[in-house]
Amino acid sequence: MAFVNMYNVEIESRRDNEFPQLKGCTYVEHIGATLYSKSQIEAYQQELLSNLYGNPHSRSESSRLSTDAVDQIRFRLLEHFNTSQEEYTLVFTANCTAALKTIAECFSFSQPLEDGDEANDAPSQMKNSQSGCFCYLLDNHTSVQGMRECLHDKTSAILCLPESELYNKDISKSFILAQQNSYNAGNCLFVYPAQSNFSGRKYPLSWIEAIRNQELGFQNQFTGNWFTVLDAAALVCTSPLDLGVHKPDFVTLSFYKMFGFPTGLGALLVKNSSAALLKKTYFGGGTVAASSATERFHVFRPNLAERFEDGTIPFLDIIAVRHGLDALKTIGGSMERISGHTFYIAKYFHHKLAHLHHSSGVNVAEIYTIGNFKDPETQGGVVNFNLFRANGDYIGFAEVDRLAQLYNIHLRTGCFCNIGACQIFLKISSEDIKSNLQVS
């Protein structure tokens, strides 16, 4: 069988011991949350019981121990993505969504980035309040859609494009969600997922450089200085991301998708050369070098991570990341090996499912994918499908979910917080969504 060398046989000998919570069940919801391992949790527990960690916003020995641990983990995470603090700064956030929200709240469209720009110029110093373009791929997480609501009054145009329209020099008005009467060039932002959480499609990382060089067709209508946000949450849970080769301006992710624990912790990776684009307004504990309570005076900390990590960081959760990274290596071997293993399993299931049919001749499933699982470089370990009855009627996902529960199968149903992909594959219009909402 093709790709048989990708299957990691060693995982079979580790499964019972490392994942005792799997006994008697089938868990295929890794795109929602991956599983934490026994050794990972035990090592984390042992570290907490063996060390005294204090609030990093202090000078005690326990506080310095926390600060050192957080710095070490920040370094390891940058190393995991093949980059360094010279090129990227890693800001801890609550999750991928929080990282996207930070960009939406702070990104400056108003003026092309120039040498000598300060990262926190006051809004009154900006030359134009609405300029530049915000563009997001139709196949994107709901959290990316939410960005447009923050940016409506900041940018000169908002686009939502299917992949096919990226190369079109004459964009149809139907893809332009908002535009000022006169387009003002400025800083522009393009957001797309490294991997679709709906279909598993891995989008080209070469787009990052193409966007920067304004080589995609749609940019002909919307000029300016273009920057990229890469939503890497779905990709990095089972595939490597090499920031030494592909260098987006901003990367967002959640750690529970990578190694199951901790939850409620993610990261925003900011390319240092693009850091001045983020104009922060709010400040919390630990983010300012000085402030006055009796007048509007404050000075942000010069370090980007310290400036954006408002309040006390979840330092104990961050320490858990150390053991998650260890688990990826000891159990998975490497991200390349994990990618091959998950691709092989998904490919096997995809091919088996595609060949099933009822006695009536009707296919058992309609599978939503691009490329038929030919290449792990372009397809992740996701198989998305609808099931048919023998007469050709769809079986509702709620019914499929209930039947799966009877057999202790854990899978994900619905549109997975990606209504754009649902609209693509299921051919759902905005009018359909509105009418369905009224009926329900």
Side-chain angles (χ1 to χ4, degrees), residues 105-117:
E105 291 175 339
C106 300
F107 186 84
S108 174
F109 292 87
S110 63
Q111 188 68 15
L113 188 62
E114 298 174 354
D115 293 339
D117 277 355

Side-chain angles (χ1 to χ4, degrees), residues 90-102 252-257 262-268 308-310 312-314 317-318 321:
L90 187 144
V91 179
F92 286 110
T93 62
N95 45 39
C96 180
T97 294
L100 291 167
K101 184 170 180 280
T102 295
T252 62
L253 55 92
S254 292
F255 292 116
Y256 74 94
K257 290 183 179 290
T263 56
L265 186 66
L268 167 62
F308 277 87
E309 292 170 351
D310 291 301
T312 300
I313 57 175
D317 290 331
I318 293 171
V321 170

Side-chain angles (χ1 to χ4, degrees), residues 30 41 282 304 404-405 408:
H30 287 268
I41 299 302
Y282 176 84
L304 186 70
Q405 290 178 33
N408 214 1

Side-chain angles (χ1 to χ4, degrees), residues 331-346:
I331 299 174
S334 67
M335 292 308 299
E336 289 78 11
R337 194 170 188 187
I338 292 170
S339 178
H341 180 74
T342 53
F343 176 81
Y344 173 81
I345 294 173

Side-chain angles (χ1 to χ4, degrees), residues 31 161 228 283 321 413 422:
I31 198 67
L161 300 180
T228 304
F283 63 91
V321 170
T413 58
C422 274

Side-chain angles (χ1 to χ4, degrees), residues 42-98:
E42 288 178 342
Y44 174 53
Q45 181 187 43
Q46 186 58 43
E47 178 167 5
L48 293 187
L49 294 175
S50 304
N51 297 279
L52 180 59
Y53 289 112
N55 190 320
H57 293 170
S58 186
R59 297 181 180 275
S60 66
E61 184 177 349
S62 58
S63 300
R64 290 198 301 271
L65 185 63
S66 295
T67 299
D68 290 343
V70 170
D71 288 343
Q72 291 167 13
I73 293 162
R74 225 187 279 269
F75 175 85
R76 280 195 64 183
L77 285 167
L78 290 171
E79 187 178 52
H80 179 79
F81 297 117
N82 193 33
T83 189
S84 68
Q85 60 185 5
E86 282 70 42
E87 188 142 29
Y88 280 89
T89 296
L90 187 144
V91 179
F92 286 110
T93 62
N95 45 39
C96 180
T97 294

Side-chain angles (χ1 to χ4, degrees), residues 254-378:
S254 292
F255 292 116
Y256 74 94
K257 290 183 179 290
M258 294 174 64
F259 32 72
F261 183 85
T263 56
L265 186 66
L268 167 62
L269 282 79
V270 180
K271 192 177 180 184
N272 292 333
S273 60
S274 304
L277 291 159
L278 299 180
K279 313 290 186 180
K280 193 168 187 281
T281 302
Y282 176 84
F283 63 91
T287 61
V288 290
S291 68
S292 172
T294 56
E295 65 174 279
R296 291 192 61 194
F297 167 78
H298 70 276
V299 177
F300 280 107
R301 288 184 179 273
N303 180 277
L304 186 70
E306 292 179 344
R307 191 188 314 148
F308 277 87
E309 292 170 351
D310 291 301
T312 300
I313 57 175
F315 55 95
L316 295 181
D317 290 331
I318 293 171
I319 288 169
V321 170
R322 186 203 318 270
H323 304 288
L325 291 171
D326 290 342
L328 284 179
K329 185 176 182 179
T330 57
I331 299 174
S334 67
M335 292 308 299
E336 289 78 11
R337 194 170 188 187
I338 292 170
S339 178
H341 180 74
T342 53
F343 176 81
Y344 173 81
I345 294 173
K347 177 185 175 76
Y348 177 84
F349 177 73
H350 172 273
H351 285 9
K352 290 291 184 181
L353 183 62
H355 286 89
L356 292 177
H357 61 273
H358 293 284
S359 58
S360 62
V362 173
N363 289 337
V364 167
E366 181 176 57
I367 304 174
Y368 308 116
T369 188
I370 300 172
N372 202 31
F373 277 81
K374 293 180 180 178
D375 187 355
E377 294 297 318
T378 58

Side-chain angles (χ1 to χ4, degrees), residues 9 12 21 70 146 149 179 201 213 262 272 283 302 356 403 410:
V9 180
E12 295 180 8
Q21 66 270 40
V70 170
E149 303 306 315
Q179 184 174 5
R201 160 90 157 108
N213 295 332
N272 292 333
F283 63 91
L356 292 177
L403 290 170
H410 301 252

